[in-house]
Amino acid sequence: MSTQGLIHIYCGDGKGKTTAALGLALRCAGSGKRVYFLQFLKGSPTSELAILNQIPQITVQRNSKDFGFSFSMTPKEKQAVFHMHNENLKAAMLACQQGAYELLVLDECMGALSTGLLDADLLRECITQKPPALELVMTGRNPPEDLVAIADYVSEIKKIKHPYDRGISARCGFDK
């Protein structure tokens, strides 16, 4: 019996969208399923990579270089990131269409989309042409209404307080 893969969106201005996606990836891998975890807008080392790279059922793909925040990128850097993001998404789509994975996580795809660093048509193609059994998770702030409408789960993580507002930087092992 085939299972219908559902679409999740974890959005909002609060901390925890990637953390929620990581939790589902771990649960999925723990059940013996294979996970493709594609990170957009991220190229610098983060703590979760150390453990994810030790789990054979999880494949992590991210930018090969850290370009920093989109607002500080030059037009040439934005073009390079746009190209990298689209190529990474195409590779993920191909692997999933070939049946190699049961879960695809597109971490920070909404941020890449809203800053013009991901082709909107390509993302929508990924969603509409996903294999029926593939579970799909997308994270990031401000998802477009059409994506919210087609999602099966939409969880908004709302910021009430955040240490960054008091000048406390991201901490290794807890925030990055």
Side-chain angles (χ1 to χ4, degrees):
M1 183 172 154
S2 178
T3 303
Q4 174 64 43
L6 302 179
I7 299 172
H8 308 237
I9 295 177
Y10 305 149
C11 60
D13 63 355
K15 176 190 181 320
K17 297 174 288 291
T18 297
T19 305
L22 287 164
L24 186 59
L26 289 173
R27 175 179 286 160
C28 190
S31 73
K33 293 177 175 55
R34 295 153 303 168
V35 178
Y36 198 114
F37 202 95
L38 175 56
Q39 292 189 305
F40 297 90
L41 303 174
K42 296 178 180 178
S44 62
T46 54
S47 300
E48 67 267 16
L49 295 178
I51 197 67
L52 291 178
N53 289 330
Q54 295 178 39
I55 303 172
Q57 296 90 341
I58 299 179
T59 298
V60 178
Q61 175 70 47
R62 60 199 330 248
N63 292 347
S64 58
K65 178 182 176 187
D66 185 31
F67 289 89
F69 291 107
S70 60
F71 58 80
S72 63
M73 290 179 198
T74 66
K76 186 176 181 178
E77 288 172 327
K78 285 182 180 181
Q79 184 179 22
V81 172
F82 180 82
H83 177 73
M84 192 179 309
H85 283 165
N86 292 328
E87 291 305 310
N88 288 346
L89 182 55
K90 288 175 189 175
M93 288 170 57
L94 180 62
C96 291
Q97 288 167 346
Q98 292 173 342
Y101 297 92
E102 287 83 22
L103 171 62
L104 172 60
V105 176
L106 303 178
D107 184 40
E108 293 295 348
C109 71
M110 300 305 175
L113 188 63
S114 69
T115 55
L117 297 174
L118 178 62
D119 184 304
D121 292 334
L122 182 62
L123 178 61
R124 284 173 176 81
E125 179 184 332
C126 176
I127 296 164
T128 60
Q129 294 185 13
K130 78 172 191 68
L134 180 70
E135 199 84 3
L136 174 64
V137 173
M138 297 176 284
T139 73
R141 296 174 183 224
N142 305 314
E145 285 301 316
D146 66 314
L147 298 187
V148 170
I150 64 170
D152 299 292
Y153 298 92
V154 178
S155 297
E156 181 178 14
I157 299 174
K158 180 180 175 186
K159 179 181 98 166
I160 305 296
K161 290 174 71 174
H162 196 291
Y164 187 76
D165 297 335
R166 297 190 334 257
I168 299 172
S169 298
R171 299 161 304 136
C172 184
F174 301 103
D175 306 307
K176 64 177 184 172

